[in-house]
Amino acid sequence: MSDIEILDQQTTAQNSLRSAMDFHSSGDLEHAQQEYTRVLATDYRAADVLPLLAGIVAERGDIDLALYYWDKLLDIQPGHLVGLLKKGGLLHGLSKFDEAAHCFRVAKGVAPTNTVVRNNLAAALSAAGRKDEALVEFSELLLLQPGNIDARHQFRRLAAAIVPFWHAAMMNDTERNDAFEKAILRAVELRGAQAQVLDIGTGSGLLSMMAARAGAEHIVTCEIVPAIARAAEKIIAANGYGAAVTVVSGSSTDVSVGQDLPRRADILVSEILSSDLLAEDVLSTFEDARSRLLHEDAIVIPRRATAIGCLAASDTLSKFAHVGEVSGFDVSSFNSLAPQRLPLHGTMTEWTRLSDDFELVSLDLAAAAHPPGLRKVSIPVQADGVAVGVVQWLSVELIDDIVFSNHPDDRREGHWLQMLHTFPEPVPVRAGEELQLVVGHDRTSIVVAPAR
Ligand SMILES: C[S@@+](CC[C@H](N)C(=O)[O-])C[C@H]1O[C@@H](n2cnc3c(N)ncnc32)[C@H](O)[C@@H]1O
């Protein structure tokens, strides 16, 4: 192209740009778009025209074309903050949350203290279901903007979704804590300060700090929830045990000797027992630890856990477990979908026993394998009534004679609750007869069922 032709083209582009801007400011977006497109075709001031064009086509509803123009701009200027923000916003609007998060992360690299960028990144991560990353972003945003109420709310909402609600109640259960501390003290006395301790399921770091307070110098603890692992690391350091305790963020099944754990552990301490014993996958976790992470003669705390129960009658609990006639309708077949087990707390602790205590499951937690199993039991009925199911509690042998139990005669609240294992439907019983049940476990849950 000759110089004259170039000058002509530039003049045409300038004229188009001027008229595009006039159309734009008068609100005539259709003609503004046409004129800006003409300017763009000449490549004249593309970096200035592209944002205007992208904005107009987005406003006119053509999001794909807007994304095309933002991409063209970002090809020219990869760190264009407005481009990154707008493109991320459009992608978020299209529910392409991962791509939006990627855009905002690039923007964060350009403007790390820009709170709009940080907020958008956190929101996109949250919408993408990447809760832990979102949690980190919201917490960093709060450092920049401590008064940002929405960010604080989102942080707390995500934390609540990631961290089970029972953590505080568990830590406040002093009987549980004291029993574990006694057992840990005993184990450290037996194996000495140089013993390698492994604590599976760090939580706040409580059991690891107890081990350190007992004199253990080498403690490795792992926590599957990254946010909890980060919190524990801070707590342990703040309490002065950072040198003795190493926190590994990850599942025990990903811990390996030589990498996270210097050598096989002499003591395992772990509190991953749910109120119904098995729901936190204690069997697989302990079996895996025993085979890969522990010395053959390692002390395992807790050593044995037993689920015990009795037949129970309760008008209150039957309302949580079963339905019959409601507002004149027979809805009893809904019982096939009734809850299999219910934690008992608050008003749900009102029930009466219809039998003596009997054992449901007793597990040696130091054993190599725990195959599932069922057995028939014959339960002598002690009182007339309608059995809603079996109320179950735990007896946990931590070490030797140190046993923790939440037997309902002594404890009806606390971290470990009694559980009601409901029968599929209420079972009327009479004193003196025997009720045939099938009990056992399938490795992740206790089985309690009336024998057919
Ligand atoms: C019941 S809490 C106990 C916390 C703490 N040890 C205490 O006693 O206060 C169990 C913790 O273990 C974690 N956890 C469960 N299974 C795990 C596993 N296999 N590896 C790592 N952490 C696990 C859970 O996320 C939870 O934070």
Side-chain angles (χ1 to χ4, degrees):
M1 206 185 278
S2 69
D3 286 355
I4 301 218
E5 282 169 330
I6 290 172
L7 266 177
D8 275 355
Q9 195 186 53
Q10 195 169 333
T11 312
T12 313
Q14 279 169 343
N15 289 339
S16 289
L17 183 57
R18 213 167 296 121
S19 76
M21 289 168 80
D22 288 345
F23 282 129
H24 200 169
S25 56
S26 72
D28 183 347
L29 299 186
E30 187 183 346
H31 287 105
Q33 181 181 343
Q34 277 171 9
E35 292 302 323
Y36 281 133
T37 310
R38 239 174 240 141
V39 182
L40 194 63
T42 68
D43 242 6
Y44 176 68
R45 292 178 60 184
D48 297 323
V49 172
L50 280 164
L52 299 169
L53 200 45
I56 285 176
V57 296
E59 213 176 319
R60 298 189 69 213
D62 193 342
I63 305 302
D64 286 343
L65 190 56
L67 283 169
Y68 168 79
Y69 287 135
W70 286 123
D71 276 338
K72 275 188 89 69
L73 175 67
L74 291 168
D75 283 345
I76 303 168
Q77 291 183 14
H80 195 289
L81 195 58
V82 173
L84 289 164
L85 273 170
K86 294 284 186 184
K87 182 183 169 190
L90 292 177
L91 289 167
H92 193 124
L94 292 173
S95 303
K96 294 182 173 177
F97 304 122
D98 284 311
E99 290 173 56
H102 174 73
C103 243
F104 295 132
R105 207 176 274 294
V106 176
K108 176 182 164 183
V110 176
T113 56
N114 183 310
T115 53
V116 175
V117 170
R118 302 302 294 268
N119 185 70
N120 289 5
L121 174 56
L125 289 167
S126 174
R130 291 157 66 179
K131 294 192 182 99
D132 189 64
E133 290 170 82
L135 197 68
V136 171
E137 286 302 326
F138 276 121
S139 73
E140 289 180 9
L141 174 60
L142 282 165
L143 292 177
L144 295 168
Q145 273 188 324
N148 185 332
I149 304 276
D150 183 58
R152 189 159 301 282
H153 173 74
Q154 296 308 328
F155 176 86
R156 295 195 66 199
R157 185 182 66 76
L158 284 164
I162 289 172
V163 180
F165 71 93
W166 40 254
H167 269 272
M170 173 187 66
M171 285 181 256
N172 283 317
D173 187 338
T174 44
E175 270 185 65
R176 176 199 84 111
N177 302 343
D178 292 350
F180 266 93
E181 183 148 31
K182 267 196 207 157
I184 289 168
L185 257 171
R186 176 88 53 89
V188 176
E189 269 167 26
L190 287 169
R191 293 296 158 91
Q194 293 306 312
Q196 178 66 55
V197 179
L198 172 63
D199 169 13
I200 294 180
T202 317
S204 63
L206 189 64
L207 304 186
S208 287
M209 290 191 288
M210 285 175 176
R213 185 157 66 187
E217 291 172 16
H218 308 288
I219 302 150
V220 170
T221 179
C222 58
E223 171 54 57
I224 201 166
V225 179
I228 299 181
R230 291 192 294 272
E233 216 160 15
K234 284 188 195 148
I235 293 169
I236 291 165
N239 281 278
Y241 293 112
V245 182
T246 305
V247 180
V248 176
S249 183
S251 165
S252 60
T253 52
D254 295 327
V255 167
S256 61
V257 174
Q259 208 158 11
D260 314 290
L261 194 60
R263 56 199 162 91
R264 283 184 177 244
D266 307 295
I267 300 170
L268 168 69
V269 58
S270 177
E271 202 280 73
I272 53 170
L273 297 178
S274 54
S275 293
D276 57 358
L277 184 57
L278 299 172
E280 282 193 61
D281 225 1
V282 60
L283 296 184
S284 304
T285 305
F286 274 47
E287 287 165 8
D288 171 64
R290 184 188 190 275
S291 70
R292 297 187 309 111
L293 306 175
L294 305 184
H295 269 302
E296 213 164 283
D297 64 344
I299 295 177
V300 173
I301 302 172
R303 169 69 201 223
R304 174 172 286 281
T306 305
I308 303 164
C310 68
L311 290 177
S314 166
D315 288 342
T316 310
L317 292 183
S318 69
K319 291 198 179 76
F320 285 90
H322 303 122
V323 284
E325 194 185 295
V326 175
S327 303
F329 302 108
D330 178 1
V331 294
S332 56
S333 68
F334 201 86
N335 285 336
S336 63
L337 303 175
Q340 194 178 31
R341 55 188 79 82
L342 291 164
L344 304 185
H345 51 83
T347 57
M348 294 169 78
T349 51
E350 284 167 26
W351 52 272
T352 54
R353 62 167 58 240
L354 298 174
S355 76
D356 284 341
D357 300 353
F358 58 94
E359 193 175 287
L360 295 165
V361 171
S362 188
L363 295 162
D364 174 358
L365 295 174
H370 305 86
L374 300 177
R375 66 195 161 88
K376 272 194 174 169
V377 289
S378 198
I379 307 301
V381 176
Q382 303 289 355
D384 294 352
V386 177
V388 67
V390 170
V391 168
Q392 166 256 309
W393 57 93
L394 297 176
S395 173
V396 183
E397 191 184 308
L398 294 163
I399 188 172
D400 304 331
D401 56 335
I402 301 172
V403 177
F404 179 91
S405 160
N406 63 332
H407 193 289
D409 288 354
D410 309 319
R411 274 170 69 97
R412 290 228 173 177
E413 290 293 341
H415 164 52
W416 281 306
L417 300 172
Q418 285 96 38
M419 299 290 292
L420 173 70
H421 295 263
T422 63
F423 291 152
E425 54 204 30
V427 179
V429 292
R430 298 197 74 80
E433 68 183 28
E434 300 218 327
L435 184 66
Q436 310 300 315
L437 295 181
V438 174
V439 299
H441 72 93
D442 65 1
R443 287 179 55 82
T444 55
S445 60
I446 292 176
V447 178
V448 177
R452 297 229 165 235

